[in-house]
Amino acid sequence: MSIADNNIIRFMSIAKKKDGLFANFRVKGMKGGVTFSSSISVDIGQANVDAADSLEKIIEECGRIAVRMVETKLQFEGLAAI
């Protein structure tokens, strides 16, 4: 099953930072036998929404971006780089 089907990406809050407004999400899941937990902050300006839009619309659009970010392929940096 995909992460989106399990409803594991959860909205946490909207935070104002000096760079702009960000929607924060918590991600927990299991994929390929690996359990993971992560936090994702999505810039509201990049989600094609405005701060004047309804909260539901902001969360929905930012959530779509968060789902795409989690489903991207990640690469292990390697112990030599650490």
Side-chain angles (χ1 to χ4, degrees), residues 20-68:
L21 288 174
F22 293 86
N24 299 312
F25 296 88
R26 171 79 59 205
V27 181
K28 291 184 180 181
M30 185 172 177
K31 194 173 197 178
V34 176
T35 302
F36 62 90
S37 176
S38 179
S39 297
I40 298 176
S41 292
V42 178
D43 184 0
I44 291 175
Q46 298 297 317
N48 296 325
V49 294
D50 187 59
D53 289 338
S54 69
L55 188 59
E56 291 83 8
K57 182 178 179 182
I58 293 171
I59 293 170
E60 184 178 333
E61 292 299 321
C62 291
R64 288 184 183 147
I65 293 173
V67 168
R68 279 188 288 172

Side-chain angles (χ1 to χ4, degrees), residues 1-3 6 8 28-36 70 73:
M1 284 206 259
S2 74
I3 296 167
N6 290 324
I8 298 181
K28 291 184 180 181
M30 185 172 177
K31 194 173 197 178
V34 176
T35 302
F36 62 90
V70 170
K73 302 283 184 196

